[in-house]
């Protein structure tokens, strides 16, 4: 038997596909409302009615106490003439007449209004004199919808409004959505006038209980609209009409015994109606009521409940009956042999757990009588209730199968319900079904916004089960909002530390010694109890991943291994990681970046994303099968690729390898079999992934450092290829035949080709990426970049998993160049490229900093970084921008592939040029955080390879100019006139003009 404690995320994904439930449209409920009430009464009558002269205030306070929106507004007039004047001027939804000495005249006025405004309900409040009673008895109420007995209880006004609203909305809300109702059959005006306020108070208290099934405040408020309705019938025929229309949506019937049947008083009309209902539904809950005690035994013999109308505790008895039999309150599991309680459930989560442990006879008893469905309906869990409504034991081979079915269906419902919703974190209800939760009331930050949008996009487009045997989702995510950051900073008085000119290491140590808020500590304890996967602690600042100022990769991310056997150690590791991410806001690099982007450090607020890391355990390591970055626009398309086909970069292991600029496999999702890196065996051996990143699960290696994750370990593809299940991802080099053979079946060098996936579609990666990029770009309205991870090592019988990790817009300049820059004479240019990124005109640059090709040495690239950073700092201080030219990949984490600068070390550049040398050919670096910042800040980007006539670089011209700075590796040239940069994205051409060739123009 599957237990709740051992259910795995992989199983949840499968259950969410097997048991998919459409979301209840709570926002479509109660569309017809009573907003404006016309009260026709003398000033004296109105004052008596209001008791203290403030009926509107009392109604408002009652609505607010019950968390109800839209309390009605009242307009009071003294007579019929004034009533018609108001009706002509305002949209009135309900007219209430207050009878006084001229009682019968009010009935006549009501008839006049009804004749002219037949759709407006008309109600009479009466102190009930002999004349009114006679008129009601003879049914002379042609212009009146309801008459009520006014006994001084202001709750009656609210009950009247709700009764009429229920009647107006019943057909849509009940038949189309599944809202339930209680049928009240009563012809005594005095009795139902006192009864209805009590009924509604019980129902509204019930709705306040089940609103907790909502995952956030907005959901909870909407769920209130799904409360059970009350439908009033005043004779047998009206009761039959209501029952016949809504019998599938009734929680039960509360019926008088003596009322009209065929326009004649019938002493046993209630018994006739009971017999009518029992012929169609033997288990419909029925409550008979009468002022005659003799009917108590009759009710008992018929197997239904009975209430004596003369009882002094009538309202309490009614409440107890409704809680027990109308599925209000907790679900009580009863032993049918002893009629004693054996268990109870207060919410859906507890119900799911109890279903696995209650005795067989108890389960069979409740299933056979449809009690589960009734309880779910009463709690506005309509899709699940509908699913269970016709469930019977004979539909299954045994009770064990029933248990498993119920448990799995509830699991699927709960998992699907959490998709696309930012739930408020609750320590009691948080579990593995919580897809996206938040702690705090502040902002969730840019990165978390992207994740929340992804979650809603997946749900809205039903991506999670679009591909056979593949689940698409985001990893389970918990966000600490910015107010947690503020609280942490204030209780530890850390701002004085952050504003001091301290080295990063001292800032980090100060933050590590600080204490986290108690509410956060309690929440982290709850998180640890339900997660078995390592957790990534990521920054999500206010500015991060925004449209125009994305701070991608600027702040820290720390990876925390799972320590289920030692929760206190896990808590310490998580808390330290959170504090360390907070500290990274105030590192020198972050401050420099803030200055470069003209932001103030005290404007930045940090939210944090705690996210389960995608992957599987391999001995002492943990990592996903592979990770990737994909873009909906390809700035370097190779025929027949088009820019709109997109581009993807994938690599084995954790995605930190990709965003750090490691060697990846690059392909277009529209042409997954066309991969330039694999076009020759020699190129495949040279230009494919040699290492990958994994998480070291040893907690002793998890202490955060200013330089990054000490537990992020680099492993060799060659050594891991066989032991860690890479057969779908690698090929083997056959030395004798000088060719690659798919898989690991022979001895030889392992080469990362993803052949089984890209060539044979063993996993539909290309189709998934094409679909997701198309949908994402359509929904965001701009070209996008996504990060993702894939886990192919799944338990048997569960789908393979594709996880979205991030989505962000790619910001492009939209300037239109009027000139054809392809026709620019080469002698007028310093630089010319046929492979460019960016668009438009840049005319405020006077400087070029370039690596001297004749002395370039990859072994000295780390030394070069320090010189570049110093020059960049100097340029920022002078508030000048520059053109940066160098060989290989700028920003690569591998110094042998290029100069490994961080973005803040070249943040003053307006144009970056990657130049190949004859013996140093490196592909451009799309798909990195570096690349994202470059495009978002509209920095021009050229790729040139002059040795093969791909672009032009006039080094002779530059070498003739005096140097502002020069050493054996770098040269800086400053011109008195600006260097005009032109980039045409449509034609994929860019040039840098020599000074004085054209007069500078203003940038758009």
């Amino acid at each position: 038997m599957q237990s709740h404690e051992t259910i795995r995320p992989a199983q949840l994904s499968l259950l969410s596909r097997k048991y998919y439930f459409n979301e209840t449209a709570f926002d479509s409920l109660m569309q017809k409302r009573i907003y404006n009430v016309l009260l026709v009464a003398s000033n004296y009558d109105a004052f008596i009615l209001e008791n203290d002269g403030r009926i509107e205030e009392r109604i408002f306070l009652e609505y607010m106490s019950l968390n109800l929106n839209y309390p009605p507004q009242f307009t009071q007039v003294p007579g019929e003439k004034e009533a018609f004047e108001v009706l002509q001027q305002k949209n009135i939804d309900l007219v209430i007449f207050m009878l006084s000495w001229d009682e019968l005249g009010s009935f006549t006025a009501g008839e006049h209004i009804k004749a002219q405004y037949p759709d407006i309900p008309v109600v009479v409040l009466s102190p009930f004199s002999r004349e009114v009673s006679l008129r009601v008895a003879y049914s002379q109420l042609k212009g009146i919808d309801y008459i009520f007995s006014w006994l001084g209880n202001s709750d009656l006004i609210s009950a009247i409004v709700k009764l009429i609203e229920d009647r107006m909305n019943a057909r849509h809300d009940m038949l189309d959505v599944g809202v339930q109702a209680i049928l009240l059959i009563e012809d005594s005006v005095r009795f139902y006038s006192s009864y209805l306020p009590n009924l509604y108070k019980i129902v509204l208290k019930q709705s306040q209980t089940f609103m907790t099934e909502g995952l956030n405040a907005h959901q909870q408020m909407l769920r209130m609209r799904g409360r059970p309705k009350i439908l009033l019938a005043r004779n047998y025929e009206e009761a039959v009409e209501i029952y016949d229309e809504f019998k599938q949506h009734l929680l039960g019937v509360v019926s008088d015994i003596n009322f009209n049947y065929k326009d004649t008083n019938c002493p046993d009309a209630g018994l006739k109606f009971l017999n009518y209902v029992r012929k169609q539904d033997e288990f419909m809950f029925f409550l008979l009521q009468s002022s005659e005690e003799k009917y108590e035994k009759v009710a008992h013999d018929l197997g239904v409940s009975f209430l004596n109308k003369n009882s002094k505790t009538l309202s309490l008895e009614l409440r107890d009956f409704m809680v027990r039999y109308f599925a209000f309150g907790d679900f009580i599991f009863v032993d049918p042999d002893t009629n004693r309680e054996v268990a109870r459930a207060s919410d859906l989560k507890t119900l799911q757990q109890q279903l696995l442990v209650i005795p067989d006879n108890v389960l069979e008893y409740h299933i056979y009588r449809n009690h589960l469905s009734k309880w779910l309906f009463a709690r506005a869990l309509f899709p699940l209730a509908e699913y269970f409504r016709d469930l019977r034991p004979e539909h299954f081979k045994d009770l064990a199968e029933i248990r498993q079915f119920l448990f799995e269906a509830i699991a699927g419902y709960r998992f699907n319900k959490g998709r696309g919703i930012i739930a408020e974190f609750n320590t009691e209800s948080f579990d593995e079904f919580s897809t996206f939760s938040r702690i705090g009331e502040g902002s969730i930050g840019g990165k978390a916004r992207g994740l929340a949008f992804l979650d809603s996009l997946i749900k809205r487009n039903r991506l999670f089960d679009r591909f056979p045997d593949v689940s698409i989702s985001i990893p389970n995510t918990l966000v600490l909002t910015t107010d947690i950051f503020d609280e942490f900073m204030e209780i530890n008085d850390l701002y004085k530390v952050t504003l001091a000119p301290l080295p990063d290491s001292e800032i980090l140590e100060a933050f590590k010694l600080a204490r986290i808020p108690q509410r956060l500590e309690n929440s982290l304890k709850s998180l640890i109890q339900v997660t078995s996967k390592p957790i990534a602690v990521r920054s999500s600042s206010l500015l991060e991943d925004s449209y125009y100022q994305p701070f991608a990769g600027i702040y820290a991310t720390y990876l925390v291994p799972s320590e289920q056997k030692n929760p206190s150690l896990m808590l310490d590791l998580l808390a330290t990681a959170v504090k360390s991410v907070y500290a990274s806001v105030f590192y020198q690099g972050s401050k420099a970046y803030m200055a470069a982007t003209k932001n103030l450090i005290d404007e930045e607020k940090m939210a944090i994303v705690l996210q389960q890391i995608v992957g599987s355990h391999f001995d002492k390591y943990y990592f996903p099968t592979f990770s990737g970055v994909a873009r909906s626009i390809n700035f370097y398309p190779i025929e027949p690729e088009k820019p709109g086909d997109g581009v993807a970069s994938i690599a084995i292991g954790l995605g930190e390898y990709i965003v750090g600029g490691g060697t990846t496999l690059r392909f277009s999702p529209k042409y997954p079999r066309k991969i330039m890196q694999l076009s020759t065996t020699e190129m495949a051996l040279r230009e494919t992934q040699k290492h990958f990143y994994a998480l070291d699960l040893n907690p002793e290696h998890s202490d955060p450092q200013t330089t990054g994750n000490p537990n992020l370990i680099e492993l060799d593809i060659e050594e891991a290829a066989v032991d860690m299940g890479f057969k779908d991802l690698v090929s083997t080099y056959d030395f004798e035949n000088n060719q690659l053979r798919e898989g690991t079946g022979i001895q030889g060098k392992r080469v990362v080709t993803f052949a089984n996936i890209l060539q044979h579609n063993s996993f539909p990666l290309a189709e998934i990426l094409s679909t997701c990029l198309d949908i994402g770009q359509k929904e965001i309205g701009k070209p996008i970049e996504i990060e993702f991870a894939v886990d192919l090592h799944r338990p048997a019988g569960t789908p393979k998993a594709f996880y979205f990790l991030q989505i962000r817009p790619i910001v492009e300049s939209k300037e239109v160049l009027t000139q054809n820059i392809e026709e620019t004479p080469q002698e007028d240019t310093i630089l010319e490229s046929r492979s460019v990124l960016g668009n438009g005109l840049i005319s405020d640059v006077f400087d070029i900093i370039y690596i001297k090709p004749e002395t370039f040495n990859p072994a000295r690239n780390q030394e070069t970084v320090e010189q570049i950073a110093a020059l960049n700092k100097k340029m920022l201080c002078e508030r000048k921008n520059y053109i940066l030219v160098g060989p290989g990949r700028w920003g690569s984490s591998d110094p042998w592939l290029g100069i490994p600068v961080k973005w803040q070390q070249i943040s003053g550049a307006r144009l970056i040029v990657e130049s190949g040398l004859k013996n140093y050919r490196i592909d451009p670096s799309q798909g990195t955080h570096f690349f994202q910042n470059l495009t978002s800040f509209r920095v021009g980007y050229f790729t040139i390879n002059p040795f093969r006539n791909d672009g032009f670089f006039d080094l002779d011209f530059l070498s003739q100019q005096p140097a502002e700075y020069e050493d054996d590796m770098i040269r800086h040239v400053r011109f008195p006139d600006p260097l005009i940069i032109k980039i045409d994205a449509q034609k994929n051409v860019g040039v840098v003009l020599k000074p004085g060739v054209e007069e500078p123009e203003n940038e758009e």
Side-chain angles (χ1 to χ4, degrees):
M1 176 64 64
Q2 171 68 55
S3 72
H4 173 78
E5 288 72 23
T6 60
I7 194 165
R8 295 187 292 263
Q11 294 167 311
L12 280 179
S13 178
L14 183 64
L15 294 176
S16 72
R17 295 159 64 91
K18 182 178 179 182
Y19 301 101
Y20 176 77
F21 299 91
N22 289 320
E23 190 172 352
T24 300
F26 285 103
D27 56 348
S28 72
L29 299 177
M30 298 295 290
Q31 291 297 301
K32 299 176 181 178
R33 308 297 291 259
I34 301 296
Y35 296 104
N36 294 295
V37 179
L38 177 60
L39 177 64
V40 185
S42 68
N43 291 338
Y44 175 77
D45 291 333
F47 185 85
I48 295 299
L49 174 67
E50 297 165 8
N51 193 26
D52 61 354
R54 295 194 303 274
I55 187 171
E56 225 173 314
E57 181 180 333
R58 297 180 67 179
I59 295 295
F60 176 82
L61 291 174
E62 181 192 358
Y63 268 62
M64 293 303 102
S65 69
L66 293 169
N67 290 318
L68 298 176
N69 295 325
Y70 313 116
Q73 306 293 312
F74 287 79
T75 301
Q76 184 252 322
V77 295
E80 180 179 345
K81 178 182 175 183
E82 294 82 359
F84 273 104
E85 290 175 355
V86 172
L87 286 165
Q88 291 172 0
Q89 298 169 5
K90 296 180 67 175
N91 292 322
I92 297 297
D93 305 301
L94 170 65
V95 178
I96 297 178
F97 280 94
M98 177 64 182
L99 295 188
S100 57
W101 60 272
D102 186 19
E103 292 158 339
L104 300 185
S106 293
F107 281 107
T108 303
E111 292 173 2
H112 293 163
I113 288 176
K114 198 69 174 178
Q116 193 161 336
Y117 298 94
D119 295 329
I120 299 179
V122 176
V123 169
V124 168
L125 290 181
S126 168
F128 255 73
S129 64
R130 179 174 179 275
E131 290 83 357
V132 172
S133 299
L134 288 173
R135 185 153 190 166
V136 172
Y138 286 103
S139 301
Q140 297 174 344
L141 300 175
K142 295 178 182 178
I144 307 299
D145 291 273
Y146 293 102
I147 183 167
F148 291 92
S149 176
W150 175 251
L151 301 175
N153 181 8
S154 63
D155 292 340
L156 178 61
I157 304 297
S158 294
I160 291 170
V161 171
K162 297 182 188 78
L163 180 72
I164 294 172
E165 287 182 338
D166 284 355
R167 187 181 74 176
M168 292 190 301
N169 292 285
R171 185 165 283 110
H172 169 268
D173 292 2
M174 295 174 68
L175 300 182
D176 294 348
V177 181
V179 174
Q180 302 294 284
I182 297 167
L183 174 56
L184 173 64
I185 308 172
E186 180 60 65
D187 65 345
S188 167
V189 175
R190 190 177 293 270
F191 188 77
Y192 68 63
S193 296
S194 61
Y195 218 52
L196 280 170
N198 283 330
L199 278 173
Y200 272 110
K201 282 202 169 184
I202 295 168
V203 167
L204 289 168
K205 288 291 184 184
Q206 157 71 358
S207 63
Q208 286 181 306
T209 301
F210 73 63
M211 70 184 286
T212 58
E213 295 287 353
L215 299 178
N216 53 38
H218 179 64
Q219 263 201 355
Q220 290 171 359
M221 292 303 299
L222 283 178
R223 292 184 70 84
M224 291 282 285
R225 300 186 184 185
R227 65 160 176 82
K229 300 183 184 300
I230 296 174
L231 304 177
L232 175 62
R234 288 162 290 185
N235 56 58
Y236 183 90
E237 289 73 27
E238 192 176 2
V240 167
E241 181 182 354
I242 292 173
Y243 179 80
D244 285 348
E245 184 171 11
F246 301 116
K247 58 187 171 185
Q248 293 293 325
H249 302 279
L250 291 179
L251 292 173
V253 180
V254 178
S255 177
D256 193 10
I257 294 178
N258 186 342
F259 52 85
N260 274 11
Y261 173 72
K262 295 183 179 180
D263 293 331
T264 304
N265 182 262
C266 178
D268 62 350
L271 301 180
K272 290 180 184 294
F273 186 72
L274 171 61
N275 184 57
Y276 180 81
V277 171
R278 281 285 171 85
K279 288 179 180 179
Q280 302 177 66
D281 185 350
E282 61 177 314
F283 296 118
M284 175 66 70
F285 291 118
F286 216 101
L287 173 64
L288 288 172
Q289 51 188 359
S290 175
S291 54
E292 300 182 55
E293 293 183 9
K294 67 179 182 179
Y295 284 110
E296 183 170 3
K297 184 177 184 308
V298 175
H300 183 267
D301 292 341
L302 291 171
V304 298
S305 299
F306 177 81
L307 284 184
N308 190 329
K309 288 186 175 182
N310 296 320
S311 172
K312 294 181 180 179
T313 58
L314 180 63
S315 61
L316 293 176
E317 293 175 49
L318 174 65
R319 185 195 64 190
D320 291 343
F321 172 83
M322 291 177 67
V323 168
R324 184 172 180 82
Y325 294 107
F326 284 0
F328 287 16
D330 296 345
F331 188 97
I332 300 174
F333 292 97
V334 176
D335 187 328
D337 300 326
T338 64
N339 205 34
R340 297 181 64 179
E341 176 183 333
V342 297
R344 67 170 55 214
S346 59
D347 54 30
L348 189 58
K349 175 183 176 181
T350 312
L351 180 75
Q352 182 185 11
Q353 295 169 329
Q354 292 291 353
L355 285 171
L356 293 178
V357 298
I358 57 172
D360 286 351
N361 64 326
V362 175
L363 177 62
E364 186 173 19
Y365 170 76
H366 289 294
I367 291 293
Y368 189 68
R369 286 160 177 76
N370 216 12
H371 292 168
L372 284 177
S373 180
K374 289 276 189 183
W375 188 77
L376 294 169
F377 270 125
R379 298 181 71 81
L381 299 168
F382 305 129
L384 197 58
E386 292 272 3
Y387 198 58
F388 288 170
R389 178 163 54 192
D390 299 322
L391 182 66
R392 293 293 183 272
E394 57 267 25
H395 297 159
F396 301 87
K397 63 181 181 182
D398 54 34
L399 285 171
E401 189 178 48
I402 295 177
R403 288 182 196 274
Q404 195 65 26
F405 170 82
L406 294 171
F407 179 84
E408 290 183 354
I410 295 174
Y413 174 81
R414 292 183 62 206
F415 191 64
N416 282 319
K417 185 181 74 167
R419 290 179 183 269
I421 299 296
I422 303 178
E424 293 176 6
F425 184 88
N426 185 308
T427 55
E428 296 180 359
S429 61
F430 182 79
D431 58 17
E432 67 269 31
F433 298 91
S434 304
T435 305
F436 197 111
S437 304
R438 63 185 290 166
I439 300 174
E441 299 301 323
S443 170
I444 62 175
K447 190 170 292 182
R449 280 195 300 270
L451 280 165
F453 175 75
L454 272 175
D455 196 28
S456 66
L457 179 148
I458 292 167
K459 183 175 185 177
R460 189 164 50 251
N461 295 279
R462 195 158 177 188
L463 288 174
F464 53 86
D465 63 351
R466 180 173 292 197
F467 299 92
D469 301 319
V470 179
S471 69
I472 296 180
S473 64
I474 65 169
N476 282 9
T477 300
L478 176 64
V479 181
L480 315 182
T481 60
T482 53
D483 58 319
I484 303 289
F485 171 78
D486 291 336
E487 184 179 347
F488 170 77
M489 295 294 291
E490 289 170 7
I491 64 175
N492 293 288
D493 195 21
L494 284 170
Y495 281 111
K496 63 182 181 183
V497 174
T498 63
L499 296 176
L502 298 175
D504 293 350
S505 57
E506 291 187 27
I507 292 175
L508 177 60
E509 287 306 312
F511 274 69
K512 284 182 180 178
L513 292 173
R515 61 185 177 89
I516 61 173
Q518 186 62 48
R519 59 169 171 157
L520 176 56
E521 182 176 328
N522 295 338
S523 300
L524 293 181
K525 288 178 180 177
S526 298
L527 172 65
I528 291 167
Q529 290 174 1
V530 300
T531 185
S532 60
K533 288 180 172 288
I535 295 174
V537 182
R538 306 182 188 277
S539 62
S540 181
S541 76
L542 290 182
L543 299 175
E544 202 159 13
D545 289 348
S546 64
Y547 272 74
Y548 300 107
Q549 297 192 119
F551 279 40
I554 299 303
Y555 303 130
T557 292
Y558 295 105
L559 310 180
V560 179
S562 176
E563 285 293 323
Q564 286 186 300
K565 295 180 180 178
N566 191 343
S568 60
L569 174 59
M570 180 71 172
L571 176 63
D572 182 60
L573 293 174
L574 265 181
T576 301
V578 168
K579 292 184 287 186
S580 300
V581 173
Y582 285 155
S584 70
V585 176
F586 305 100
Y587 289 168
Q588 295 304 316
S590 302
K591 292 177 179 177
Y593 192 84
M594 295 288 284
T597 55
K598 297 180 174 57
N599 285 287
L600 299 176
I601 192 71
D602 57 356
E603 290 179 345
E604 180 67 302
K605 301 289 185 184
M606 180 64 74
I608 286 182
V609 172
L610 304 178
Q611 190 175 61
Q612 287 187 348
I613 300 175
V614 177
S616 302
H617 292 85
F618 295 91
D619 191 20
K620 57 184 178 181
Y621 304 117
Y622 184 95
F623 56 88
T625 309
F626 63 92
S627 303
V629 175
R631 312 178 114 229
S632 63
I633 187 168
N634 182 3
F635 293 111
Y636 299 93
I638 302 169
E639 290 293 337
E641 299 169 359
K642 297 181 176 64
D645 293 337
V647 64
S649 296
I650 54 176
I652 291 170
L654 290 167
E656 279 75 4
Y657 178 85
I658 300 174
V659 299
T663 303
T664 62
L665 201 69
R666 176 186 176 277
F667 68 97
S668 168
K670 294 291 174 65
Y671 302 94
R673 294 179 176 85
K674 182 179 176 294
I675 302 172
M676 175 169 281
Q677 290 158 271
L678 306 180
S679 58
T680 68
T681 302
E682 291 73 18
M683 189 177 291
L685 290 170
R686 186 179 66 245
E687 299 187 12
T688 53
Q689 184 180 5
K690 306 298 188 296
H691 304 91
F692 70 99
Y693 285 153
L695 173 63
D696 183 348
L697 295 174
N698 187 341
E700 295 180 2
H701 300 161
S702 298
D703 186 32
Q705 305 297 317
T706 58
T707 53
N709 282 284
N711 56 1
L712 189 65
I713 188 166
E714 185 177 84
L715 300 177
D716 188 87
I717 291 287
E718 187 75 21
E719 295 177 4
V722 177
D723 297 337
M724 296 182 177
F726 291 171
K727 63 181 179 65
D728 284 341
L729 313 179
V730 302
S731 298
T732 303
Y733 176 55
D734 181 348
F735 177 78
E736 291 184 1
N737 297 297
N738 190 31
Q739 64 182 25
L740 297 178
R741 298 191 182 277
E742 295 170 10
T744 57
I746 64 171
Q747 293 297 317
K749 182 178 178 59
R750 311 304 181 185
V751 181
V752 177
T753 62
F754 289 85
N756 215 19
I757 291 174
L758 298 180
Q759 303 298 325
H760 305 298
N761 205 35
S762 64
F763 177 81
L765 177 64
E767 186 181 356
I768 290 172
L769 290 178
S770 290
T771 301
C772 294
L773 288 172
D774 288 347
I775 291 173
Q777 178 165 307
K778 181 180 178 181
E779 293 223 357
I780 287 185
K782 296 177 180 291
I784 60 164
E785 178 179 87
I786 62 172
E787 296 177 23
F788 60 91
V790 174
D791 187 9
L792 301 181
H793 299 95
R794 308 282 278 178
T798 57
K800 299 170 183 177
F802 178 98
Y803 288 96
F804 275 110
L805 303 181
Q806 191 53 273
I807 187 170
R808 60 175 72 89
I810 300 170
V811 181
E812 294 179 276
S813 177
K814 297 298 182 183
E815 299 94 348
V816 177
L817 293 174
T818 57
Q819 296 176 333
N820 186 353
I821 63 176
E822 291 178 294
E823 298 176 359
T824 304
Q826 193 172 88
E827 60 268 21
D828 290 345
T829 67
I830 298 175
L831 281 159
E832 179 185 303
S833 174
R834 302 278 170 173
S835 182
V836 302
L837 166 61
N839 195 67
L841 179 71
I842 302 171
S843 58
D844 60 351
V845 175
F846 295 78
D847 298 79
I848 292 182
I849 297 173
Y850 64 97
I851 309 300
K852 296 194 290 189
E854 65 271 15
T855 59
F856 172 69
N857 182 357
R860 298 182 65 186
N861 276 351
Q862 190 60 53
E863 182 183 345
T864 304
V865 169
E866 298 172 8
Q867 295 298 327
I868 292 290
L871 287 172
N872 183 74
K873 184 176 181 180
K874 178 176 179 291
M875 296 294 288
L876 289 177
C877 290
E878 296 175 359
R879 296 188 177 184
K880 292 182 180 295
N881 297 115
Y882 58 93
I883 297 168
L884 180 64
V885 187
R889 296 180 181 174
W890 287 106
S892 172
S893 61
D894 185 345
W896 292 99
L897 297 178
I899 299 172
V901 291
K902 301 295 183 185
W903 175 255
Q904 59 266 26
Q905 294 170 320
I906 58 169
S907 56
R910 288 298 304 274
L911 173 65
I912 294 175
V913 183
E914 290 187 350
S915 175
L917 303 179
K918 189 170 185 178
N919 298 313
Y920 193 75
R921 308 181 186 186
I922 305 296
D923 284 341
S925 50
Q926 288 195 61
T928 66
H929 277 153
F930 175 91
F931 200 82
Q932 167 63 16
N933 285 321
L934 182 120
T935 58
S936 299
F937 286 117
R938 301 183 181 182
V939 175
Y941 186 90
F942 289 3
T943 297
I944 59 174
N945 286 287
F947 62 89
R948 62 184 184 198
N949 296 320
D950 180 10
F952 172 71
F953 185 22
D954 196 342
L955 279 165
D956 292 337
F957 173 77
L958 288 177
S959 63
Q960 296 169 12
Q961 310 304 316
E964 183 81 4
Y965 169 85
E966 185 172 8
D967 59 27
D968 61 336
M969 295 180 292
I970 302 172
R971 198 162 190 270
H972 173 196
V973 176
R974 174 168 292 172
F975 293 94
D977 297 317
L979 304 168
I980 297 174
I981 303 165
K982 295 182 177 183
I983 310 173
D984 190 332
Q986 297 295 320
K987 297 178 180 177
N988 208 22
V989 177
V991 296
V992 177
L993 300 180
K994 292 175 181 176
V997 171
E998 283 187 11
E999 288 296 319
E1001 301 176 23
N1002 292 328
E1003 297 178 48
E1004 293 297 327

